[in-house]
Amino acid sequence: MNASAKPCPICGEPSDVLFKPFCSKRCTHIDLHRWFGETYRVETAEGPDDPSRVPDDED
Ligand SMILES: [Zn+2]
């Protein structure tokens, strides 16, 4: 029906007019979580590899 409808960027299903550009409420949530996850990762990822904690027996 909707030939101009773009596929859901999350799962690739045809998007629903109610949730576009996603296909369902579930996919909108998945996208939100991804977005916030990225944000939080940036803020909390101060130093995933602490240079002062370099293992000695790494050869
Ligand atoms: Zn989807």
Side-chain angles (χ1 to χ4, degrees), residues 8 10-11 23 27:
C8 171
I10 300 298
C11 68
C23 70
C27 280

Side-chain angles (χ1 to χ4, degrees), residues 17-37:
V17 65
L18 292 176
F19 306 108
K20 65 180 180 179
F22 307 101
C23 70
S24 64
K25 194 175 183 180
R26 190 172 150 215
C27 280
T28 66
H29 282 201
I30 291 173
D31 185 71
L32 261 183
H33 279 288
R34 281 187 182 178
W35 201 86
F36 281 117

Side-chain angles (χ1 to χ4, degrees), residues 33-50:
H33 279 288
R34 281 187 182 178
W35 201 86
F36 281 117
E38 283 292 315
T39 306
Y40 284 127
R41 249 179 78 188
V42 171
E43 288 192 29
T44 55
E46 255 318 272
D49 293 298
D50 197 343

